[in-house]
């Protein structure tokens, strides 16, 4: 029966788990709006080229993790493993660079797919929330994007966080660093894993990110990217740090932070959870600058920076930190009906209540009065509206305030406006 269960690395999100998802989405979107970022939605699959070239064909993502398939027209398509390549593709395709409103500040959320080994915080389908800001090479924009990230986390109630930053430099700096890396690894190349030997040829920076060789003695002594930054790149990094200082956003510089995607230059950053007891994977969010990526998609020279986190990992962080999670809202009213006629009348009443915006429900299992009251309690209903044969004969209902225990008779014709007014009064009291 395996085939009738969840595929490995995926999950169902049941109603009781949805609230925290909605909370994270809401807070993230509202914060983005405060920073003047606008939402963009792109397809869940793209031509494989978009990721192969966008993310980079020396990355683990492209080499080992993509869900790639042929459609019936024999095109190679891929379920998106991340959002940046798609957003850049859309930016070029719709010539968003032509808009007078620059930089173009976008955010997105949706499922991403990577064929990885599942563990806590690592799924094969996960939901990213990300932002991309295109069209400015100011280090102030890098700081803004980080400020936005920290603001989202603060609003969610996360406190055990560490922002780690690095600079990979511009092309000239990267070439210098690449040469130094090759010189460093070449004599002992045969002691590295097969993947790293291939990386050596194509992109030696990737070696520093190897999951197998991370404890190899050559790693600790590898030349630092920060020692190979040219004047301009150092200046850029210095200005970013100065801006973060001004905003009083704490950070650590880690010259070993290289990130797993090929498109980065200058700024790279990750946000880690430092909550005691957080699992093995502590990275909550990753991002960086990708000047040059827009040209790769056939657009004009346009710098860009962004980040993405997965909602799954933020939930782990919220739970590990013991942040109070949102709880279900109770019903406004539960209609208790006794007898067939009353149940009919209750249907009509419910429909009217709901149209008036009152959150309400009734029994459909022909339960006894006591059990219907229990249901009202279970749904945390503020009011029980009781329709018995007696009441029905007089075209009224007994309305009971569940917490206070007070009750009164209200004419059916008056019930909807009466209840709305009561509920409004309660809201003002809260
Ligand atoms: P990334 O580092 O590959 O970067 O992923 C960003 C975040 O997505 C991670 O920090 C983690 O929160 C989440 N994530 C990645 N893989 C998984 C997984 N298998 N299960 C659960 N969560 C996962 C990017 O994707 C870049 N597009 C970020 C970016 C945007 N850079 C510039 N702009």
């Amino acid at each position: 029966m395996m085939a009738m269960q969840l595929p490995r690395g995926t999950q169902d999100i049941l109603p009781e788990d949805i609230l925290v998802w909605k909370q994270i989405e809401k807070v993230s979107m509202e914060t983005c709006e405060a920073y003047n970022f606008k939402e963009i939605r792109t397809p869940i699959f793209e031509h494989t080229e978009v990721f192969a070239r966008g993310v980079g064909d020396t990355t683990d993502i492209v080499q080992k993790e993509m869900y790639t398939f042929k459609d019936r027209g024999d095109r190679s398509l891929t379920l998106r493993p991340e959002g940046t390549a798609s957003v850049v593709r859309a930016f070029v395709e719709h010539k968003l660079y032509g808009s007078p409103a620059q930089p173009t500040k976008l955010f997105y959320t949706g499922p991403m797919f990577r064929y990885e080994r599942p563990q806590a915080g690592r799924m094969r389908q996960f939901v990213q929330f990300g932002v991309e800001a295109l069209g400015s090479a100011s280090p102030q924009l890098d700081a803004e994007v980080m400020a936005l990230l920290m603001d989202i986390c603060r609003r969610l109630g996360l406190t055990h966080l560490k922002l780690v930053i690095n600079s990979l430099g511009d092309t000239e700096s990267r070439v210098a660093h690449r040469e130094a890396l090759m010189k460093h690894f070449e004599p002992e190349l045969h002691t590295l894993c097969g993947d790293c030997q291939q990386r050596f040829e194509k992109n030696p920076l990737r070696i520093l990110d190897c999951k197998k060789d991370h404890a190899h003695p050559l790693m600790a002594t590898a030349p630092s990217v920060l020692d190979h930054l040219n004047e301009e790149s150092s200046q850029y990094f210095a200005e970013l740090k100065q801006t973060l200082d001004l905003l009083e956003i704490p950070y650590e510089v880690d010259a070993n932070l290289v990130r797993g995607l090929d498109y980065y230059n200058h700024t790279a950053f990750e946000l880690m959870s430092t909550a005691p007891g957080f699992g093995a994977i502590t990275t909550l969010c990753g991002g960086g600058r990708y000047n040059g990526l827009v040209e790769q998609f056939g657009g004009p020279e346009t710098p860009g920076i962004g980040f993405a986190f997965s909602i799954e990992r933020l939930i782990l962080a919220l739970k590990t930190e013991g942040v109070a999670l949102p709880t279900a809202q109770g019903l406004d009213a539960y209609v208790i009906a006794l007898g067939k006629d009353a149940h009919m009348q209750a249907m009509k009443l419910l429909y009217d209540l709901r149209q008036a915006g009152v959150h309400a429900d009734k029994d459909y299992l022909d339960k006894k009065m006591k059990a219907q009251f229990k249901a009202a309690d279970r749904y945390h209903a503020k009011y029980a509206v009781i329709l018995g044969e007696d009441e029905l004969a007089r075209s009224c209902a007994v309305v009971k305030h569940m917490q206070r225990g007070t009750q009164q008779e209200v004419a059916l014709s008056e019930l909807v406006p009466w209840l709305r007014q009561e509920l409004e009064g309660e809201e003002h009291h809260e």
Side-chain angles (χ1 to χ4, degrees), residues 1-68:
M1 284 310 278
M2 261 269 278
M4 299 307 265
Q5 291 169 351
L6 277 173
R8 225 163 106 72
T10 68
Q11 67 173 335
D12 297 312
I13 304 160
L14 300 177
E16 69 218 50
D17 304 322
I18 283 291
L19 295 166
V20 63
W21 282 80
K22 285 176 97 165
Q23 166 85 349
I24 294 173
E25 285 159 6
K26 180 166 177 272
V27 166
S28 305
M29 289 189 188
E30 282 175 2
T31 314
C32 277
E33 278 155 14
Y35 283 69
N36 198 26
F37 281 66
K38 309 271 192 248
E39 184 171 2
I40 183 167
R41 298 187 188 186
T42 62
I44 291 202
F45 57 83
E46 298 267 358
H47 292 293
T48 301
E49 261 321 275
V50 169
F51 305 115
R53 287 212 306 198
V55 175
D57 51 19
T58 67
T59 61
D60 276 359
I61 294 181
V62 171
Q63 289 198 340
K64 306 179 185 165
E65 297 171 1
M66 294 208 301
Y67 281 90
T68 297

Side-chain angles (χ1 to χ4, degrees), residues 261-300:
L261 302 93
D262 275 352
Y263 46 61
Y264 293 115
N265 41 57
H266 289 290
T267 313
F269 64 99
E270 285 186 0
L271 184 67
M272 329 290 275
S273 171
T274 55
F278 198 82
I281 304 176
T282 56
T283 305
L284 300 179
C285 176
R289 194 162 260 292
Y290 45 83
N291 302 348
L293 189 57
V294 172
E295 289 100 297
Q296 275 190 47
F297 279 85

Side-chain angles (χ1 to χ4, degrees), residues 239-278:
E239 272 184 50
L240 166 63
K241 289 187 285 186
Q242 198 188 346
T243 316
L244 289 174
D245 291 338
L246 175 77
L247 302 181
E248 295 180 42
I249 295 175
Y251 58 86
E252 268 175 34
V253 175
D254 179 356
N256 290 321
L257 179 78
V258 295
R259 307 276 302 123
L261 302 93
D262 275 352
Y263 46 61
Y264 293 115
N265 41 57
H266 289 290
T267 313
F269 64 99
E270 285 186 0
L271 184 67
M272 329 290 275
S273 171
T274 55
F278 198 82

